Structures are given as structure tokens and as C-alpha cells.
Amino acid sequence: MATRARRQPSFLLFVTDQQRADHLGCYGDPVVRTPAIDGLALQGCVFDDFHVATPICQPNRASLMTGRLPSAHGLTLNGRELSQGETTFVDMLRQAGWRTALAGKCHLQNITGLPPVWPSPQERLPRDARHLHPGDYGQENARRWADDDRFELALPYYGFEQVRLTIGHADEQQGHWRRWLRAQLPDADRLIGPDNAVPTPSLALGALRQAWRTRVPEELYPTAYIAGQACTMLREFAAGERPFFLQCSFPDPHHPFTPPGRYWSLHRPGDMALPASFHADLVDPPPPIAWLRAARAGRAAGPVGYASFACSEQEAREALALNYGSIACIDDAVRRVLAELAALGLDDDTVVMFTSDHGELLGERGLMFKGGLHYGALTRVPFVWRDTVDRRRAARSPVLAQTTDIAPTVLARAGLLPAHGMQGRSLLAPMAQPGTPLRDALLIEEESQRRDFGLPGRLRMRTLRTAGHRLTIYDGQPWGELYDLREDPMELRNLWNSQPALRDALGRQLAGAMLAQADTSPYPDAAS
């Protein structure tokens, strides 16, 4: 089909869940197979120092949508709701004439219906100081979808005019996918979950119920469903003249690991090399590391939940192999969507992006999953930007960039001004003119809903990341972390106690960054 000229660009954003940057071929991984994503990188700009606003799924997705840090948009923990009073860049595009759609995971509202686990009911006060803007909440509650086959989102949903939703992880997801699966297979529920899986008695992660060999066929797995729905949406867009924004959001490679079909055995655990830091000697490690290792020593096989934990070599190798299988499955889905984009004649006029909501430890320092630690494996994620055909060029950018930058960059490329209070910065100038400075440091936030690492209260932490250092402070604790990223890129030697002058200087810089990123919206009232 011949390409049609458009006055404004369209946008296609791929988002994965819990994928670190260095688990892509274009970021240097020698094992994982990602030809489609690597192909985007060969025609676009790869950001080598791109980090999250917070290494927690729901708050970081809210930061992507709003261009604001969690402390500003208010969704600081999983299990909360993004206020419908927040302005999203997707809604700004919609109001400016773009058609908007989402296929896959959204996670801007509570998917469990349960409140955060901290504080306990006995400790909670009867009122909160902050209230959500009036609106319809609980729309992503998986139980609500399971109990009512007719339930649907109230549209537009945070700016999305169309949504085909998946809720949750592995092969147990709810939302539109589960309804669609049941329409394809009357006995679909008998294929789902660890109790219905193909037996894998030797699987160490199976004992933890963090991996199972799903019976859901490849072509019916959520990843394939999301790609198919995205292709359907693209065909609808191609029939009109308006530009579009489509978010294609995959819930993998998040644990529990259930890559379908051939992707399960694409890589063998025995072939996986452990991370270089798995058995590395750590210099003055922070107390959470010792606590996690002690917890491992006293842990019997059983569920470990979603928080970080100390793993065995076999668990790490299995996780790496299955994680790579999930990524290969996603890459094939990306290829399918990109092929449809090209076949419809939309390719030349569409900006394509690829990113993830946070990373994963996957054996780094003998640890697994995420939570309460800000190592690069958790905070550094991929960001690839391939522009329209007239602006397409291969490049790599070293600038410090962050999830909050995506919203203002898309708006700038669309010719729209950002919203007042957006804290991210447009990346267009560094892409157009390499060497253009963007910022000296990033602020990364985390508010845990748990009492992690045996601490008396819930974990709260802030990180300053510069091109050369990472400083992390923990609320109420005399200890912290300081790493020289140039001399110690694996973050093995904590300099918190040995370099007090540097620690104090970076602490002042962190205080300045926190002040600079304080919420400024709405505008102050005019003087009376």
C-alpha cells in the first residue's frame, strides 16, 4: 500500500514489564534473540543511560503517562489508583486530534482490589490527607472482570479511546484476553496456572511457583493476543486520515515465567552463564544484602512472593533461560506488529518506541526479582526511538534520561507544548544534535508498601544518579550506598563509609535535585 502524507506523525510505543536494558541484542546481550527490536535500534536512537522514575511497575507506568515523578502524581505504591485529575500525555494527544488506543497491560489502577499492606489495619488512621479526583476507580480489578463477563472500562481511559486489556502476569491473566481465550477454547481455564501445567519436576523455580510450563498454545498466549489486537487497531487507523498513538504493552518477561510453546525450551538453563557479580566479593555492602542472604539460608522451598530474594545458582540459570524465552516471544510479537504497520503504509509516518517499566536482578549479587535496591539492573531500562522515515538515522545517546522524558518528547514531536508540572525533558535535541546536554543528574524514588529487609517500618529511599556516581539514601537509616560508576560499573564497592566528603557533596546535590523536582502544578494563584 502506498504511503500517505500526514500532517502530524503517528506514534507506536512498545512497553515490556520488568526487562533490564542489557537483555537485548542492541544493548550488548550475546545470548538473547531480538532481531526485530535490534532492527529498530539500527534505524533509530538507542539511549544507553536511560532509567526509571521508580523501579516499581505501577508508579513508573504512571510516570510514563504523566511525565511526573511518583511524589508528584501521587501513585507512589503498587495497589493505588492514578488520580483521574492527573493530565496524561495520551489525553493531550487525544484532545489535539490523535486517535488513541492501548493493547495489553495498563496498570494505572489497583489490579487486586486489596489496599497496600502497610500500614496494618490497626495502624491506619480513619482519613487520608489526599483524595483522588472524582472518577471511576477499581476498573482494572481482576476480580471485577472475573465476576462480571459484561464489565468494561469507562472510555476514554486516561486518554485511551480504545483498550483491549490484560491484567496480571504469566498465563493467569484476566481482562479482555481471558474472555477472548474462552471464546477460542471452551475449556480454556483448564490450561491455565501452575496446577494445570505440563509437569516439570526438576524445575527449581517450580517449587517456588515462580515458573511453570503452560499448556496455553503460543498463538493464544497473552503476548500473541496483544500483538493481534494491536494489528487490528492499526488496520482501523489505516482506514482514516487522523494520526494515532498506539501503546502495545506486554506483561512479560515478568515472573512467574511461563513462556509458551517453543519459547520454553529455546534456551537451556545449563547453558546460561551466571552474572559476573553472582559470587563477587562485595565491599561494605548495605545491610539488606546480608538480610536477604540470611533469609535464604533459613528458607525452606516455598512461595517467595514478588520481593527480591537470594537465589541459588540453579534458580538464577532457570530464570535467565526462561526470561530469554519470554523476550524472544515478545520480539516475534514486535516483528508481527511492525510488519503490519509497514503493510498498511503507516511505517514511514510513525514514530516507534520501545521501553520497559523497570528491570530485574536475575542473579546479580545472587539476588532475584526487585524491591528496595537501586542497582542498575533494576533502574536501567531500554529506550529506543525510531523516528519517521525522513528523520530516521542510527545513533546512540549517552545522555542521562528517564521514563518521565517520554511524555514531553512525544508531545514535542507532535508539535504540542507539555503540561505545566511535567518534570521530564524532551529528548529531541539530544537526538538531533549529539552532544547537546540534558541534565547532570537523575532523581529516582521508591516508596515500598512492605517492611522490607527486617526494617521496623516500610522502606522509603531516594537515589541520585549522575554519569559517574550513584548515591542512595534510606529513610531513617544511618547507612546508605555510594558507588563510583566509572571505576566500579558493577556497583560492588560501597564507598558510603570510606568517602564521606564525596558522600556529603552528592548528598547536597541530591537535596537540590529533590527541591528542583518538587511539584509545581497548579500554577500559584495571582496575588490579590
Side-chain angles (χ1 to χ4, degrees):
M1 182 182 294
T3 301
R4 294 170 297 175
R6 294 175 182 267
R7 287 180 294 177
Q8 301 108 336
S10 293
F11 300 92
L12 171 58
L13 171 62
F14 293 104
V15 183
T16 56
D17 194 348
Q18 200 162 293
Q19 181 176 2
R20 43 195 282 178
D22 59 355
H23 281 191
L24 287 171
C26 56
Y27 278 89
D29 193 296
V31 176
V32 70
R33 305 176 186 179
T34 53
I37 300 165
D38 296 346
L40 283 177
L42 290 173
Q43 295 182 320
C45 186
V46 177
F47 286 82
D48 286 319
D49 211 357
F50 193 93
H51 295 264
V52 296
T54 178
I56 304 175
C57 176
Q58 196 177 4
N60 198 64
R61 285 174 180 263
S63 290
L64 188 157
M65 292 288 287
T66 62
R68 288 152 60 80
L69 291 171
S71 58
H73 59 62
L75 201 167
T76 56
L77 313 170
N78 281 348
R80 295 280 177 88
E81 315 269 328
L82 179 62
S83 174
Q84 294 190 9
E86 287 289 312
T87 298
T88 70
F89 81 94
V90 177
D91 202 45
M92 294 174 69
L93 289 172
R94 182 185 69 85
Q95 293 183 34
W98 272 255
R99 299 184 67 184
T100 58
L102 165 69
K105 180 174 180 177
C106 186
H107 207 184
L108 297 176
Q109 293 189 359
N110 188 345
I111 65 174
T112 66
L114 301 173
V117 297
W118 188 95
S120 67
Q122 295 77 19
E123 297 172 294
R124 290 176 191 157
L125 295 172
R127 289 181 178 272
D128 258 312
R130 187 173 192 170
H131 300 279
L132 291 172
H133 188 276
D136 190 356
Y137 296 99
Q139 295 187 67
E140 294 186 57
N141 183 340
R143 177 52 54 191
R144 196 168 177 183
W145 286 80
D147 291 344
D148 183 358
D149 286 340
R150 296 172 297 178
F151 178 75
E152 288 290 348
L153 297 173
L155 300 174
Y157 189 67
Y158 294 100
F160 292 112
E161 297 169 322
Q162 297 183 62
V163 178
R164 306 307 292 174
L165 189 66
T166 63
I167 304 170
H169 293 293
D171 66 355
E172 298 180 298
Q173 296 174 49
Q174 279 289 347
H176 289 113
W177 170 74
R178 182 72 72 95
R179 294 177 185 173
W180 173 84
L181 183 67
R182 288 170 175 160
Q184 314 305 309
L185 298 172
D187 62 344
D189 287 357
R190 297 178 62 184
L191 305 178
I192 291 170
D195 295 333
N196 295 318
V198 177
T200 52
S202 64
L203 188 70
L205 287 174
L208 305 178
R209 295 178 78 85
Q210 293 297 335
W212 57 86
R213 189 163 191 171
T214 180
R215 294 188 188 272
V216 177
E218 291 175 28
E219 65 274 14
L220 301 180
Y221 191 74
T223 300
Y225 169 78
I226 292 164
Q229 293 300 308
C231 290
T232 298
M233 292 168 172
L234 287 174
R235 288 191 288 271
E236 294 175 7
F237 296 149
E241 294 297 325
R242 290 163 56 194
F244 62 86
F245 175 88
L246 172 59
Q247 183 167 315
C248 186
S249 184
F250 301 106
D252 278 346
H254 197 289
H255 64 281
F257 304 106
T258 59
R262 68 184 185 276
Y263 300 105
W264 175 270
S265 54
L266 190 62
H267 299 279
R268 297 189 303 175
D271 294 336
M272 296 295 101
L274 292 172
S277 67
F278 192 93
H279 291 298
D281 291 331
L282 306 180
V283 176
D284 201 11
I289 303 297
W291 187 91
L292 289 169
R293 290 177 173 174
R296 169 74 199 191
R299 172 172 66 81
V304 297
Y306 283 81
S308 52
F309 72 99
C311 61
S312 68
E313 289 189 4
Q314 182 62 18
E315 288 164 347
R317 288 192 169 97
E318 289 174 359
L320 286 164
L322 295 175
N323 182 73
Y324 283 156
S326 293
I327 293 172
C329 182
I330 290 167
D331 190 76
D332 283 342
V334 169
R335 175 190 51 76
R336 178 180 170 190
V337 176
L338 292 177
E340 188 70 19
L341 187 78
L344 293 168
L346 302 174
D347 179 81
D348 287 353
D349 300 307
T350 301
V351 175
V352 181
M353 296 161 278
F354 183 93
T355 193
S356 187
D357 59 5
H358 57 77
E360 225 270 42
L361 288 163
L362 281 170
E364 296 285 348
R365 290 156 203 81
L367 306 177
M368 194 84 77
F369 296 169
K370 61 183 185 292
L373 298 164
H374 284 183
Y375 293 114
L378 285 168
T379 70
R380 181 172 173 252
V381 293
F383 185 62
V384 178
W385 173 287
R386 190 190 76 176
D387 216 306
T388 54
V389 68
D390 56 317
R391 300 189 183 195
R392 203 168 289 173
R393 59 184 65 87
R396 299 194 81 94
S397 177
V399 300
L400 271 172
Q402 191 171 37
T403 301
T404 53
D405 298 330
I406 294 175
T409 305
V410 171
L411 291 172
R413 186 64 181 88
L416 303 175
L417 293 173
H420 173 65
M422 280 189 173
Q423 296 162 318
R425 303 182 184 183
S426 171
L427 301 174
L428 293 186
M431 283 190 280
Q433 296 179 317
T436 302
L438 186 69
R439 54 167 65 87
D440 294 326
L442 286 176
L443 176 62
I444 300 172
E445 303 179 341
E446 183 166 351
E447 301 277 341
S448 177
Q449 58 179 311
R450 299 180 299 266
R451 287 183 170 93
D452 295 279
F453 312 133
L455 298 176
R458 73 182 180 93
L459 190 94
R460 307 181 68 231
M461 50 196 296
R462 296 292 185 269
T463 285
L464 180 84
R465 193 172 182 106
T466 71
H469 295 91
R470 194 255 288 182
L471 176 79
T472 299
I473 61 171
Y474 294 78
D475 184 29
Q477 302 303 319
W479 44 267
E481 295 179 88
L482 170 59
Y483 300 97
D484 185 328
L485 299 176
R486 293 193 175 98
E487 296 294 325
D488 178 26
M490 289 198 296
E491 301 170 277
L492 303 178
R493 300 187 295 276
N494 184 14
L495 307 177
W496 178 270
N497 292 314
S498 62
Q499 297 285 343
L502 177 60
R503 180 191 68 206
D504 292 346
L506 289 171
R508 289 190 294 272
Q509 191 175 357
L510 173 60
M514 293 174 66
L515 178 60
Q517 294 287 56
D519 193 6
T520 60
S521 180
Y523 283 113
D525 293 333
S528 58

